[in-house]
């Protein structure tokens, strides 16, 4: 079997609330760390979420 192209990554809030999203990413085309601006319900505002490994 071939290795999967898409991997799951954890997007952790930069507001240090501990909130995170789980997203899929194509590991061949997106080689750098993923950064998205999304809503953090704990901080109740839009903040940057940075990629971290799922343990």
């Amino acid at each position: 079997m071939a290795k999967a192209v898409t991997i799951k990554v954890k997007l952790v809030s930069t507001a240090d609330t501990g909130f995170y999203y789980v997203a899929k990413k194509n590991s061949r085309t997106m080689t750098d760390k993923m950064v998205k601006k999304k809503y953090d319900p704990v901080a109740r505002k839009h903040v940057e979420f940075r990629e971290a490994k799922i343990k």
Side-chain angles (χ1 to χ4, degrees):
M1 287 182 47
K3 188 177 177 183
V5 177
T6 56
I7 57 171
K8 286 185 180 175
V9 293
K10 186 188 224 183
L11 297 175
V12 182
S13 173
T14 56
D16 292 329
T17 56
F19 188 79
Y20 66 91
Y21 286 100
V22 176
K24 288 183 184 176
K25 150 179 151 167
N26 187 335
S27 59
R28 291 187 189 157
T29 58
M30 295 182 68
T31 55
D32 50 339
K33 297 267 186 184
M34 185 189 280
V35 177
K36 287 205 171 214
K37 220 169 181 186
K38 293 179 78 64
Y39 183 73
D40 187 343
V42 180
R44 295 182 8 198
K45 59 184 175 181
H46 282 81
V47 295
E48 278 193 345
F49 282 78
R50 298 196 178 266
E51 176 183 333
K53 283 190 179 180
I54 295 179
K55 295 182 182 176

